[in-house]
Amino acid sequence: KDKVVFCNCDDIKISNFFKYFVMNFKLLGIKKLICACFNKQCSGKGYYYEYTGGNVNFTNIIFFKGNGDFRSEESIELLKKSDIVVTNPPFSLFREYVSQLVKYNKKFLIISNINAITYKEIFNLIKNNQAWLGINFGRGISGFIVPNHYELYGQETRINEFGEKIVSPNNCMWFTNLVNSKRQEFLPLTRKYAGNELEYPQYDNYKGINVNQTKNIPMDYEGVMGVPITFLHKFNPKQFEIIKFRKGDDEKDLKIEGKSTYFRILIKKRSLLHAV
């Protein structure tokens, strides 16, 4: 409410982010919506459009002097004037994109590849509670419109009411620094370590146990545990503390009986009496 929303990787003629915010402009109480377009998404120079309500008029677009890249001085000036950034940024430039948002102290809600969790810069933001996963994850993401020639297969595909092909891959997530209800939910712990020690082998190169599935985190283990990266969708900083990612004391991949495990996040339960 009363915020300037900036979609800085969006052509207003095709962006569903733009359509959503225009349709819900009054409901959300947005102050202003700004969309900026890189020149590879539209003809000629990049452009931007400012919306404050009423009818959308494509003739009121404003062309940049340059190409409209999110890193350009012109786009950064729009970023400075905004409060919250919402978009689907280029995954290949994700580190640089997020770094810019952090530099200018912006709130954001953006789509990311799940693998971004493994980037040192992104993981450190999560570890330090500067950013976290949003509500939906994997196929919980509503989907992406793909070209007509794209072959649809599997349960993750559909065709919408406009005849557009939609793919909901299992490798995307929302990444944000906006507080949401999911982040405040406590993960119910139902398994016990005592009596089931063989299910939780110790690491060769770190004092901690391996937990193969988030749902199997034991309620009675107070030490460090290695959990799958998908744990981050259940992560509540009042319940758990993130210690480290992937590496043991020797800074090599975590190992069990000489074999490397899948990527693991090392966590520890917080005492609820001292939770932060």
Side-chain angles (χ1 to χ4, degrees), residues 27-42:
L27 178 65
L28 296 173
I30 299 172
K31 181 179 180 181
K32 181 189 287 188
L33 171 63
I34 306 173
C35 283
C37 173
F38 181 53
N39 68 353
K40 284 188 177 181
Q41 295 176 305
C42 51

Side-chain angles (χ1 to χ4, degrees), residues 117-130:
I117 293 171
T118 67
Y119 301 162
K120 180 179 178 181
E121 304 87 343
I122 302 303
F123 182 79
N124 283 339
L125 290 176
I126 297 173
K127 181 177 182 293
N128 297 326
N129 289 314
Q130 294 174 274

Side-chain angles (χ1 to χ4, degrees), residues 19-211:
K19 293 176 185 177
Y20 172 83
F21 285 120
V22 167
M23 290 174 61
N24 294 280
F25 193 82
K26 289 185 178 180
L27 178 65
L28 296 173
I30 299 172
K31 181 179 180 181
K32 181 189 287 188
L33 171 63
I34 306 173
C35 283
C37 173
F38 181 53
N39 68 353
K40 284 188 177 181
Q41 295 176 305
C42 51
S43 59
K45 297 178 180 179
Y47 66 75
Y48 70 96
Y49 183 86
E50 298 187 357
Y51 178 82
T52 54
N55 295 326
V56 175
N57 188 344
F58 290 151
T59 62
N60 291 337
I61 61 174
I62 302 171
F63 283 92
F64 288 118
K65 293 179 182 178
N67 62 11
D69 189 296
F70 71 86
R71 297 164 291 189
S72 68
E73 292 184 8
E74 292 175 294
S75 184
I76 289 174
E77 285 304 308
L78 294 176
L79 177 67
K80 291 178 180 178
K81 298 175 183 177
S82 68
D83 300 302
I84 302 174
V85 176
V86 185
T87 194
N88 176 22
F91 289 177
S92 62
L93 299 173
F94 194 75
R95 291 181 178 90
E96 190 172 359
Y97 184 85
V98 173
S99 176
Q100 184 187 85
L101 298 180
V102 172
K103 176 181 178 180
Y104 290 99
N105 195 29
K106 297 301 175 182
K107 295 294 184 181
F108 57 86
L109 178 62
I110 57 179
I111 291 177
S112 162
N113 188 286
I114 290 174
N115 288 333
I117 293 171
T118 67
Y119 301 162
K120 180 179 178 181
E121 304 87 343
I122 302 303
F123 182 79
N124 283 339
L125 290 176
I126 297 173
K127 181 177 182 293
N128 297 326
N129 289 314
Q130 294 174 274
W132 41 86
L133 275 61
I135 295 291
N136 285 321
F137 180 86
R139 293 198 173 97
I141 300 287
S142 57
F144 301 86
I145 298 173
V146 296
N148 286 330
H149 68 265
Y150 193 92
E151 183 179 352
L152 298 184
Y153 55 89
Q155 295 181 347
E156 70 275 14
T157 61
R158 61 188 172 87
I159 297 177
N160 68 10
E161 65 271 27
F162 304 108
E164 296 168 320
K165 293 183 176 181
I166 310 295
V167 173
S168 297
N170 201 31
N171 63 346
C172 292
M173 66 182 190
W174 286 103
F175 189 59
T176 187
N177 58 359
L178 295 171
V179 176
N180 59 68
S181 59
K182 190 76 176 177
R183 181 169 165 78
Q184 301 175 50
E185 294 178 358
F186 281 82
L187 179 66
L189 305 179
T190 60
R191 299 294 298 273
K192 287 189 175 183
Y193 176 73
N196 298 290
E197 290 86 354
L198 292 179
E199 296 181 26
Y200 301 99
Q202 298 275 342
Y203 292 115
D204 300 344
N205 52 344
Y206 194 88
K207 188 178 180 181
I209 61 171
N210 182 67
V211 181

